[in-house]
Amino acid sequence: MAISSSLGTEHAVELRAGRLHYRERGAGTPVLLVHGGLANADLWREVVPALAALGPYRLIAPDLPLGSHHEAMRNGADVTPPGIVAILVELLDALDLDRVVVVANDAGGAISQMLAARHPERIDRLVLTSCDQYLQFPPRYLKPVRWVSFLPRVGDLVARSFRFRAVHGPFFRSVARTPLPPEVLDSYLRPMLEDPAIRSDLVRFFRGTRPRHTLEAARGLRTFDRPVLVLWGGSDLWFSRRGGRRLARTLPLGEFDLVAGARTFVPEDAPVELARRVHAFLRDPADQYTSSS
């Protein structure tokens, strides 16, 4: 679970799927921060204080059930990507938030595309950093792993293999140029390594990643009429710039840009730059945005 005090006060809310923990800091424009797999709200630990210093924001960072969360969801809970979308909608309802700004990364970006396509009325503006899109859900390097994860016990075995440095070291170096502090790496890995039920949540989410979800979202996003900023890591090893540019072009009010030097985990590699870009994007009037070329 997230351990960073910079994210604000820890809270928990009872949802149909189970108890969801989240951190909240500040007051003002509500901003929902959505992480991807094998991460939690700690992904935003430096983005949140940087944003809080720039403007009046209510910054909400949940620990979604993607492997690094505090408590496993209830037996039978839907933790596939559509199920995570439903969890986010229910979280917004529980917090009495009609519309929010969404800032997302990695698989959280795919989830947020689905949220925007299915519930456009809940999003005021959207920021997508390097993330799954179109046919890349999961990304191409993980497609063979997803196929074998359906074999008995194989998905659990793959997840458990992350206890070895030879497995998690290259993975996290591939998604973040900046070395993760040991305590953050521990917060990402310990929950699913120690709790088989949390590991099961992760495996079930991973098995549920399918291109049909992101392709369906892309079709819905063609009519999404709110400003969207697509920020891609300039050194991303997992998701191509071409995919990010295509995603921005799909959106009527989409804009694409790069964050130099960042890999997939843009909030890890460039948190202050990301906060600055998000703040500038939120200050600009909506009529400044036109379709990307």
Side-chain angles (χ1 to χ4, degrees):
M1 66 175 183
I3 59 172
S4 303
S5 59
S6 62
L7 295 168
T9 306
E10 184 181 1
H11 302 275
V13 59
E14 290 289 344
L15 305 177
R16 286 189 293 270
R19 183 190 295 266
L20 186 76
H21 292 255
Y22 67 96
R23 296 269 185 162
E24 183 173 333
R25 174 172 174 168
T29 301
V31 179
L32 180 68
L33 300 149
V34 184
H35 64 79
L38 279 184
N40 55 36
D42 280 328
L43 182 74
W44 311 103
R45 66 192 180 279
E46 295 183 38
V47 177
V48 163
L51 263 176
L54 291 172
Y57 298 115
R58 180 184 177 186
L59 299 154
I60 302 159
D63 286 345
L64 296 172
L66 305 182
S68 305
H69 48 300
H70 181 56
E71 294 183 61
M73 297 292 100
R74 295 190 178 98
N75 288 336
D78 184 358
V79 292
T80 64
I84 303 299
V85 171
I87 285 172
L88 287 176
V89 171
E90 193 175 355
L91 173 63
L92 296 182
D93 290 341
L95 298 179
D96 198 26
L97 292 170
D98 292 330
R99 292 165 68 95
V100 295
V101 173
V102 173
V103 181
N105 177 247
D106 194 37
I111 292 164
S112 298
Q113 292 167 53
M114 295 167 63
L115 176 65
R118 296 180 180 202
H119 304 276
E121 75 285 354
R122 306 307 295 265
I123 297 181
D124 187 53
R125 294 191 183 211
L126 178 60
V127 179
L128 297 170
T129 62
S130 290
C131 62
D132 304 72
Q133 20 64 43
Y134 299 102
L135 295 174
Q136 299 302 311
F137 191 42
R140 59 187 177 275
Y141 302 129
L142 293 181
K143 289 184 186 294
V145 181
R146 179 185 174 275
W147 295 333
V148 300
S149 74
F150 285 94
L151 297 172
R153 296 185 295 277
V154 171
D156 185 75
L157 182 64
V158 171
R160 288 168 57 198
S161 73
F162 272 76
R163 72 177 61 251
F164 300 111
R165 186 184 301 272
V167 177
H168 70 245
F171 171 77
F172 283 111
R173 284 195 297 273
S174 75
V175 297
R177 183 186 297 275
T178 307
L180 297 179
E183 65 275 13
V184 172
L185 179 64
D186 187 68
S187 86
Y188 288 169
L189 292 177
R190 182 182 294 272
M192 68 98 174
L193 291 177
E194 292 191 344
D195 189 334
I198 288 177
R199 199 157 58 242
S200 175
D201 286 345
L202 170 64
V203 171
R204 287 187 291 136
F205 171 78
F206 183 56
R207 287 173 175 170
T209 57
R210 296 173 184 268
R212 65 179 176 87
H213 295 312
T214 37
L215 290 170
E216 177 186 348
R219 289 191 292 271
L221 292 175
R222 292 172 186 164
T223 58
F224 185 69
D225 64 355
R226 302 302 302 160
V228 181
L229 177 61
V230 179
L231 282 176
W232 230 244
S235 299
D236 194 324
L237 303 177
W238 286 81
F239 301 114
S240 71
R241 296 184 190 183
R242 180 181 299 178
R245 291 185 187 278
R246 181 185 176 193
L247 183 59
R249 287 196 300 268
T250 297
L251 295 146
L253 298 178
E255 183 175 278
F256 179 84
D257 205 353
L258 293 172
V259 179
R263 292 184 177 165
T264 304
F265 280 14
V266 176
E268 291 283 359
D269 281 337
V272 175
E273 175 69 7
L274 176 57
R276 185 188 67 80
R277 301 255 195 130
V278 169
H279 176 65
F281 172 64
L282 297 182
R283 291 186 66 189
D284 282 346
D287 60 8
Q288 293 293 313
Y289 290 86
T290 58
S291 298
S292 293
S293 59

